[in-house]
Amino acid sequence: MNSIYDYPLESLESYFEEIGETKYRAKQVFDWLYVKRVKSFGDMTNLKKTLISFLKQKFSFDGLKLVKKEEDTDVKKYLFELFDGNKIETVLMKHDYGNSVCVSSQVGCNMGCGFCESGRLKKVRNLSTFELVLQVLKVEEDIKERISHVVLMGIGEPFDNYDNVIKFIKVINDPKGINIGIRHITISTCGLVPKIREFMNEKSGVNLAISLHAPNDEIRNKIMPVNKVYNINDIISVVRKYVKQTNRRVTFEYILLKDINDSEACAIELSKLLRGINCYVNLIPYNETSHIKYKTSKKVTIDKFYDILKKNDINVTIRREFGSKVSAACGQLRSKTND
Ligand code: SAH
């Protein structure tokens, strides 16, 4: 059965026209789903009985079952079971500027980054649009507060599930629905260059973050196999075009891994690589996991790295650490329950 959460408003309108209904009815249903948040067609009291029973036969509301929740002061981590028994995780982070949800885009991941827990469990399948939408709805329902920001930085490579991710963004951004501002939505990619190009042409206004994690191919090849397909040069040249065409600043994520990519020489090389690009660098203290050999850089090393970038006029921040107590590093909760 199809899920009713799989449809951006436009698609729902076309569907309603196909079945001899009006666009206006589709708008009413969309409003029930995303503004009034009812969970059955029976509760949509301004619809005709015949339409309600038709829709009941066609569409379901289910799709995510909460199986586990871990909490800390400013972070909550949810493990959800999908209709086919697969599990995914979603993380809520409470910032002073609002509630941000980190959404998974696939069951597992095929990118194989050496430091990442998600990649230990290979991709099983892409998530459907409704499974992405339900992650946001379920977390809002749980915390009874509005979610203001969404980041696609959970399990999976969002650009390896491009179409469903774009549809998801249409649903959550719609002002007649959940209404999450386009500039409050961020897609993070390991650097699938053709998809970055496609994304640039959408002119959506969504923020783009790129997991760079190394200043040169020698290091990046060792930690991110995808670099053998799209190397640093490919990434930098597509980012230059992206910035020019969209007029948007791009974020580079850079995990600091002890003795791998955290030296002063790396910081200098990174500064040179990014010079003149409208971007900022988000330095991420590595979240250690028991299965993986990489270690977190020392605080002094991180600070030194930061200072070098700053001195070279690169916009840089150090990411605040969230939820190391609740195994919030990508894929850890799911990985733990699968062991
Ligand atoms: N596949 C996408 C999005 C998912 S990962 C991407 O590669 O960008 C989201 C971010 O978390 C990426 O920058 C990823 O490299 C980083 N990450 C993965 N494991 C981590 C860990 N153990 N500690 C800190 N960051 C991690």
Side-chain angles (χ1 to χ4, degrees), residues 92-93 95-101 136 140 143 145-151 178-185:
L92 166 80
M93 290 161 289
H95 296 276
D96 44 11
Y97 56 78
N99 294 314
S100 173
V101 162
V136 176
E140 271 200 345
I143 62 171
E145 277 176 37
R146 183 165 188 272
I147 286 164
S148 55
H149 291 67
V150 169
V151 295
I178 306 176
N179 195 15
I180 295 174
I182 204 76
R183 297 195 171 199
H184 288 182
I185 303 171

PDB file of all heavy atoms in Angstrom, residues 92-93 95-101 136 140 143 145-151 178-185:
ATOM      1  N   LEU A  92      17.761  13.980  17.500  1.00  0.00           N
ATOM      2  CA  LEU A  92      17.309  15.347  17.759  1.00  0.00           C
ATOM      3  C   LEU A  92      18.394  16.083  18.531  1.00  0.00           C
ATOM      4  O   LEU A  92      18.914  15.572  19.520  1.00  0.00           O
ATOM      5  CB  LEU A  92      16.035  15.318  18.611  1.00  0.00           C
ATOM      6  CG  LEU A  92      15.668  16.672  19.212  1.00  0.00           C
ATOM      7  CD1 LEU A  92      14.967  17.553  18.200  1.00  0.00           C
ATOM      8  CD2 LEU A  92      14.819  16.503  20.450  1.00  0.00           C
ATOM      9  N   MET A  93      18.765  17.287  18.054  1.00  0.00           N
ATOM     10  CA  MET A  93      19.729  18.105  18.792  1.00  0.00           C
ATOM     11  C   MET A  93      19.065  19.415  19.172  1.00  0.00           C
ATOM     12  O   MET A  93      18.504  20.093  18.310  1.00  0.00           O
ATOM     13  CB  MET A  93      20.956  18.373  17.920  1.00  0.00           C
ATOM     14  CG  MET A  93      21.792  17.133  17.695  1.00  0.00           C
ATOM     15  SD  MET A  93      22.901  17.258  16.273  1.00  0.00           S
ATOM     16  CE  MET A  93      21.762  17.179  14.925  1.00  0.00           C
ATOM     17  N   HIS A  95      19.454  23.035  20.051  1.00  0.00           N
ATOM     18  CA  HIS A  95      20.387  24.161  19.992  1.00  0.00           C
ATOM     19  C   HIS A  95      19.710  25.377  20.606  1.00  0.00           C
ATOM     20  O   HIS A  95      18.486  25.386  20.771  1.00  0.00           O
ATOM     21  CB  HIS A  95      20.703  24.501  18.533  1.00  0.00           C
ATOM     22  CG  HIS A  95      21.418  23.425  17.781  1.00  0.00           C
ATOM     23  ND1 HIS A  95      22.783  23.265  17.828  1.00  0.00           N
ATOM     24  CD2 HIS A  95      20.963  22.457  16.954  1.00  0.00           C
ATOM     25  CE1 HIS A  95      23.134  22.245  17.066  1.00  0.00           C
ATOM     26  NE2 HIS A  95      22.061  21.725  16.513  1.00  0.00           N
ATOM     27  N   ASP A  96      20.507  26.420  20.857  1.00  0.00           N
ATOM     28  CA  ASP A  96      19.843  27.628  21.369  1.00  0.00           C
ATOM     29  C   ASP A  96      18.991  28.283  20.282  1.00  0.00           C
ATOM     30  O   ASP A  96      18.031  28.981  20.570  1.00  0.00           O
ATOM     31  CB  ASP A  96      20.854  28.619  21.974  1.00  0.00           C
ATOM     32  CG  ASP A  96      22.079  28.788  21.106  1.00  0.00           C
ATOM     33  OD1 ASP A  96      22.046  28.294  19.950  1.00  0.00           O
ATOM     34  OD2 ASP A  96      23.054  29.417  21.543  1.00  0.00           O
ATOM     35  N   TYR A  97      19.294  27.996  19.007  1.00  0.00           N
ATOM     36  CA  TYR A  97      18.493  28.594  17.926  1.00  0.00           C
ATOM     37  C   TYR A  97      17.304  27.740  17.500  1.00  0.00           C
ATOM     38  O   TYR A  97      16.558  28.103  16.605  1.00  0.00           O
ATOM     39  CB  TYR A  97      19.375  28.917  16.717  1.00  0.00           C
ATOM     40  CG  TYR A  97      20.156  27.736  16.166  1.00  0.00           C
ATOM     41  CD1 TYR A  97      19.538  26.775  15.372  1.00  0.00           C
ATOM     42  CD2 TYR A  97      21.519  27.592  16.445  1.00  0.00           C
ATOM     43  CE1 TYR A  97      20.251  25.707  14.856  1.00  0.00           C
ATOM     44  CE2 TYR A  97      22.234  26.522  15.939  1.00  0.00           C
ATOM     45  CZ  TYR A  97      21.599  25.586  15.148  1.00  0.00           C
ATOM     46  OH  TYR A  97      22.306  24.514  14.644  1.00  0.00           O
ATOM     47  N   GLY A  98      17.117  26.577  18.119  1.00  0.00           N
ATOM     48  CA  GLY A  98      15.958  25.752  17.758  1.00  0.00           C
ATOM     49  C   GLY A  98      16.256  24.264  17.824  1.00  0.00           C
ATOM     50  O   GLY A  98      17.343  23.862  18.242  1.00  0.00           O
ATOM     51  N   ASN A  99      15.274  23.473  17.408  1.00  0.00           N
ATOM     52  CA  ASN A  99      15.442  22.020  17.415  1.00  0.00           C
ATOM     53  C   ASN A  99      15.841  21.546  16.028  1.00  0.00           C
ATOM     54  O   ASN A  99      15.177  21.856  15.040  1.00  0.00           O
ATOM     55  CB  ASN A  99      14.127  21.337  17.787  1.00  0.00           C
ATOM     56  CG  ASN A  99      13.728  21.631  19.210  1.00  0.00           C
ATOM     57  OD1 ASN A  99      14.554  21.543  20.134  1.00  0.00           O
ATOM     58  ND2 ASN A  99      12.480  21.993  19.419  1.00  0.00           N
ATOM     59  N   SER A 100      16.915  20.774  15.988  1.00  0.00           N
ATOM     60  CA  SER A 100      17.408  20.284  14.715  1.00  0.00           C
ATOM     61  C   SER A 100      17.325  18.765  14.692  1.00  0.00           C
ATOM     62  O   SER A 100      17.662  18.105  15.677  1.00  0.00           O
ATOM     63  CB  SER A 100      18.861  20.752  14.579  1.00  0.00           C
ATOM     64  OG  SER A 100      19.444  20.179  13.464  1.00  0.00           O
ATOM     65  N   VAL A 101      16.852  18.219  13.577  1.00  0.00           N
ATOM     66  CA  VAL A 101      16.760  16.774  13.478  1.00  0.00           C
ATOM     67  C   VAL A 101      17.727  16.265  12.419  1.00  0.00           C
ATOM     68  O   VAL A 101      17.795  16.807  11.322  1.00  0.00           O
ATOM     69  CB  VAL A 101      15.318  16.339  13.135  1.00  0.00           C
ATOM     70  CG1 VAL A 101      15.286  14.921  12.611  1.00  0.00           C
ATOM     71  CG2 VAL A 101      14.464  16.400  14.367  1.00  0.00           C
ATOM     72  N   VAL A 136      10.713  13.104  10.763  1.00  0.00           N
ATOM     73  CA  VAL A 136      10.483  14.455  11.280  1.00  0.00           C
ATOM     74  C   VAL A 136       9.179  14.498  12.106  1.00  0.00           C
ATOM     75  O   VAL A 136       9.156  15.012  13.221  1.00  0.00           O
ATOM     76  CB  VAL A 136      10.414  15.478  10.112  1.00  0.00           C
ATOM     77  CG1 VAL A 136      10.088  16.869  10.626  1.00  0.00           C
ATOM     78  CG2 VAL A 136      11.729  15.485   9.338  1.00  0.00           C
ATOM     79  N   GLU A 140       8.834  15.327  16.199  1.00  0.00           N
ATOM     80  CA  GLU A 140       8.006  16.464  16.648  1.00  0.00           C
ATOM     81  C   GLU A 140       6.922  15.995  17.614  1.00  0.00           C
ATOM     82  O   GLU A 140       6.668  16.620  18.628  1.00  0.00           O
ATOM     83  CB  GLU A 140       7.352  17.171  15.459  1.00  0.00           C
ATOM     84  CG  GLU A 140       8.211  18.273  14.891  1.00  0.00           C
ATOM     85  CD  GLU A 140       7.448  19.300  14.060  1.00  0.00           C
ATOM     86  OE1 GLU A 140       6.296  19.054  13.670  1.00  0.00           O
ATOM     87  OE2 GLU A 140       8.044  20.361  13.784  1.00  0.00           O
ATOM     88  N   ILE A 143       8.552  15.235  21.078  1.00  0.00           N
ATOM     89  CA  ILE A 143       9.033  16.341  21.924  1.00  0.00           C
ATOM     90  C   ILE A 143       7.967  17.428  22.123  1.00  0.00           C
ATOM     91  O   ILE A 143       8.142  18.320  22.938  1.00  0.00           O
ATOM     92  CB  ILE A 143      10.339  16.981  21.382  1.00  0.00           C
ATOM     93  CG1 ILE A 143      10.127  17.600  19.989  1.00  0.00           C
ATOM     94  CG2 ILE A 143      11.477  15.962  21.375  1.00  0.00           C
ATOM     95  CD1 ILE A 143      11.318  18.418  19.506  1.00  0.00           C
ATOM     96  N   GLU A 145       7.338  19.884  20.399  1.00  0.00           N
ATOM     97  CA  GLU A 145       7.856  21.215  20.069  1.00  0.00           C
ATOM     98  C   GLU A 145       8.144  21.220  18.587  1.00  0.00           C
ATOM     99  O   GLU A 145       8.353  20.161  18.003  1.00  0.00           O
ATOM    100  CB  GLU A 145       9.204  21.450  20.777  1.00  0.00           C
ATOM    101  CG  GLU A 145       9.097  21.917  22.192  1.00  0.00           C
ATOM    102  CD  GLU A 145      10.481  22.015  22.831  1.00  0.00           C
ATOM    103  OE1 GLU A 145      11.435  22.409  22.134  1.00  0.00           O
ATOM    104  OE2 GLU A 145      10.596  21.668  24.021  1.00  0.00           O
ATOM    105  N   ARG A 146       8.215  22.400  18.027  1.00  0.00           N
ATOM    106  CA  ARG A 146       8.465  22.518  16.600  1.00  0.00           C
ATOM    107  C   ARG A 146       9.934  22.183  16.269  1.00  0.00           C
ATOM    108  O   ARG A 146      10.838  22.512  17.016  1.00  0.00           O
ATOM    109  CB  ARG A 146       8.153  23.952  16.185  1.00  0.00           C
ATOM    110  CG  ARG A 146       8.299  24.162  14.736  1.00  0.00           C
ATOM    111  CD  ARG A 146       7.663  25.441  14.222  1.00  0.00           C
ATOM    112  NE  ARG A 146       7.748  25.355  12.780  1.00  0.00           N
ATOM    113  CZ  ARG A 146       8.795  25.778  12.082  1.00  0.00           C
ATOM    114  NH1 ARG A 146       9.797  26.380  12.668  1.00  0.00           N
ATOM    115  NH2 ARG A 146       8.843  25.594  10.766  1.00  0.00           N
ATOM    116  N   ILE A 147      10.105  21.517  15.124  1.00  0.00           N
ATOM    117  CA  ILE A 147      11.466  21.319  14.610  1.00  0.00           C
ATOM    118  C   ILE A 147      11.751  22.432  13.623  1.00  0.00           C
ATOM    119  O   ILE A 147      10.957  22.683  12.719  1.00  0.00           O
ATOM    120  CB  ILE A 147      11.596  19.937  13.947  1.00  0.00           C
ATOM    121  CG1 ILE A 147      11.629  18.870  15.041  1.00  0.00           C
ATOM    122  CG2 ILE A 147      12.858  19.855  13.104  1.00  0.00           C
ATOM    123  CD1 ILE A 147      11.388  17.492  14.556  1.00  0.00           C
ATOM    124  N   SER A 148      12.862  23.134  13.823  1.00  0.00           N
ATOM    125  CA  SER A 148      13.141  24.281  12.960  1.00  0.00           C
ATOM    126  C   SER A 148      14.200  23.968  11.907  1.00  0.00           C
ATOM    127  O   SER A 148      14.292  24.654  10.902  1.00  0.00           O
ATOM    128  CB  SER A 148      13.601  25.466  13.803  1.00  0.00           C
ATOM    129  OG  SER A 148      14.713  25.084  14.592  1.00  0.00           O
ATOM    130  N   HIS A 149      15.025  22.948  12.158  1.00  0.00           N
ATOM    131  CA  HIS A 149      16.129  22.644  11.239  1.00  0.00           C
ATOM    132  C   HIS A 149      16.183  21.147  10.941  1.00  0.00           C
ATOM    133  O   HIS A 149      15.951  20.328  11.839  1.00  0.00           O
ATOM    134  CB  HIS A 149      17.473  23.043  11.852  1.00  0.00           C
ATOM    135  CG  HIS A 149      17.668  24.531  11.988  1.00  0.00           C
ATOM    136  ND1 HIS A 149      16.914  25.285  12.864  1.00  0.00           N
ATOM    137  CD2 HIS A 149      18.506  25.379  11.364  1.00  0.00           C
ATOM    138  CE1 HIS A 149      17.297  26.553  12.755  1.00  0.00           C
ATOM    139  NE2 HIS A 149      18.264  26.634  11.861  1.00  0.00           N
ATOM    140  N   VAL A 150      16.523  20.811   9.705  1.00  0.00           N
ATOM    141  CA  VAL A 150      16.703  19.404   9.337  1.00  0.00           C
ATOM    142  C   VAL A 150      18.048  19.247   8.648  1.00  0.00           C
ATOM    143  O   VAL A 150      18.383  20.017   7.741  1.00  0.00           O
ATOM    144  CB  VAL A 150      15.566  18.921   8.403  1.00  0.00           C
ATOM    145  CG1 VAL A 150      15.887  17.566   7.796  1.00  0.00           C
ATOM    146  CG2 VAL A 150      14.240  18.841   9.173  1.00  0.00           C
ATOM    147  N   VAL A 151      18.835  18.282   9.093  1.00  0.00           N
ATOM    148  CA  VAL A 151      20.103  17.983   8.416  1.00  0.00           C
ATOM    149  C   VAL A 151      20.082  16.531   7.930  1.00  0.00           C
ATOM    150  O   VAL A 151      19.685  15.635   8.669  1.00  0.00           O
ATOM    151  CB  VAL A 151      21.339  18.243   9.322  1.00  0.00           C
ATOM    152  CG1 VAL A 151      21.472  19.712   9.670  1.00  0.00           C
ATOM    153  CG2 VAL A 151      21.301  17.431  10.606  1.00  0.00           C
ATOM    154  N   ILE A 178       4.589  21.462   6.967  1.00  0.00           N
ATOM    155  CA  ILE A 178       5.523  21.525   8.103  1.00  0.00           C
ATOM    156  C   ILE A 178       6.304  22.844   8.090  1.00  0.00           C
ATOM    157  O   ILE A 178       6.702  23.358   9.124  1.00  0.00           O
ATOM    158  CB  ILE A 178       6.488  20.306   8.084  1.00  0.00           C
ATOM    159  CG1 ILE A 178       5.694  18.996   8.040  1.00  0.00           C
ATOM    160  CG2 ILE A 178       7.400  20.315   9.315  1.00  0.00           C
ATOM    161  CD1 ILE A 178       6.566  17.743   7.924  1.00  0.00           C
ATOM    162  N   ASN A 179       6.532  23.365   6.896  1.00  0.00           N
ATOM    163  CA  ASN A 179       7.083  24.719   6.754  1.00  0.00           C
ATOM    164  C   ASN A 179       8.463  24.919   7.385  1.00  0.00           C
ATOM    165  O   ASN A 179       8.690  25.877   8.116  1.00  0.00           O
ATOM    166  CB  ASN A 179       6.066  25.719   7.330  1.00  0.00           C
ATOM    167  CG  ASN A 179       6.373  27.152   6.917  1.00  0.00           C
ATOM    168  OD1 ASN A 179       7.151  27.385   5.989  1.00  0.00           O
ATOM    169  ND2 ASN A 179       5.790  28.102   7.629  1.00  0.00           N
ATOM    170  N   ILE A 180       9.374  24.002   7.119  1.00  0.00           N
ATOM    171  CA  ILE A 180      10.758  24.194   7.579  1.00  0.00           C
ATOM    172  C   ILE A 180      11.487  25.011   6.508  1.00  0.00           C
ATOM    173  O   ILE A 180      11.505  24.628   5.335  1.00  0.00           O
ATOM    174  CB  ILE A 180      11.446  22.838   7.826  1.00  0.00           C
ATOM    175  CG1 ILE A 180      10.735  22.131   8.990  1.00  0.00           C
ATOM    176  CG2 ILE A 180      12.942  23.033   8.117  1.00  0.00           C
ATOM    177  CD1 ILE A 180      11.202  20.736   9.255  1.00  0.00           C
ATOM    178  N   GLY A 181      12.030  26.140   6.912  1.00  0.00           N
ATOM    179  CA  GLY A 181      12.649  27.083   5.967  1.00  0.00           C
ATOM    180  C   GLY A 181      13.733  26.406   5.128  1.00  0.00           C
ATOM    181  O   GLY A 181      14.514  25.610   5.642  1.00  0.00           O
ATOM    182  N   ILE A 182      13.788  26.748   3.866  1.00  0.00           N
ATOM    183  CA  ILE A 182      14.726  26.078   2.955  1.00  0.00           C
ATOM    184  C   ILE A 182      16.177  26.271   3.436  1.00  0.00           C
ATOM    185  O   ILE A 182      17.006  25.381   3.306  1.00  0.00           O
ATOM    186  CB  ILE A 182      14.512  26.558   1.493  1.00  0.00           C
ATOM    187  CG1 ILE A 182      15.005  25.506   0.515  1.00  0.00           C
ATOM    188  CG2 ILE A 182      15.154  27.898   1.182  1.00  0.00           C
ATOM    189  CD1 ILE A 182      14.130  24.318   0.333  1.00  0.00           C
ATOM    190  N   ARG A 183      16.442  27.414   4.013  1.00  0.00           N
ATOM    191  CA  ARG A 183      17.822  27.674   4.489  1.00  0.00           C
ATOM    192  C   ARG A 183      18.096  27.013   5.826  1.00  0.00           C
ATOM    193  O   ARG A 183      19.192  27.124   6.377  1.00  0.00           O
ATOM    194  CB  ARG A 183      18.060  29.169   4.577  1.00  0.00           C
ATOM    195  CG  ARG A 183      17.929  29.718   3.190  1.00  0.00           C
ATOM    196  CD  ARG A 183      18.440  31.055   2.948  1.00  0.00           C
ATOM    197  NE  ARG A 183      18.386  31.239   1.485  1.00  0.00           N
ATOM    198  CZ  ARG A 183      19.046  32.123   0.804  1.00  0.00           C
ATOM    199  NH1 ARG A 183      19.826  32.952   1.429  1.00  0.00           N
ATOM    200  NH2 ARG A 183      18.931  32.213  -0.499  1.00  0.00           N
ATOM    201  N   HIS A 184      17.087  26.348   6.347  1.00  0.00           N
ATOM    202  CA  HIS A 184      17.263  25.574   7.579  1.00  0.00           C
ATOM    203  C   HIS A 184      17.400  24.083   7.277  1.00  0.00           C
ATOM    204  O   HIS A 184      17.298  23.252   8.168  1.00  0.00           O
ATOM    205  CB  HIS A 184      16.086  25.803   8.526  1.00  0.00           C
ATOM    206  CG  HIS A 184      16.088  27.165   9.153  1.00  0.00           C
ATOM    207  ND1 HIS A 184      15.145  27.557  10.057  1.00  0.00           N
ATOM    208  CD2 HIS A 184      16.939  28.205   9.020  1.00  0.00           C
ATOM    209  CE1 HIS A 184      15.406  28.798  10.444  1.00  0.00           C
ATOM    210  NE2 HIS A 184      16.485  29.214   9.814  1.00  0.00           N
ATOM    211  N   ILE A 185      17.545  23.766   5.987  1.00  0.00           N
ATOM    212  CA  ILE A 185      17.699  22.363   5.600  1.00  0.00           C
ATOM    213  C   ILE A 185      19.102  22.196   5.000  1.00  0.00           C
ATOM    214  O   ILE A 185      19.526  23.009   4.183  1.00  0.00           O
ATOM    215  CB  ILE A 185      16.630  21.947   4.563  1.00  0.00           C
ATOM    216  CG1 ILE A 185      15.217  22.192   5.123  1.00  0.00           C
ATOM    217  CG2 ILE A 185      16.807  20.491   4.147  1.00  0.00           C
ATOM    218  CD1 ILE A 185      14.090  22.016   4.112  1.00  0.00           C
TER     219      ILE A 185
END
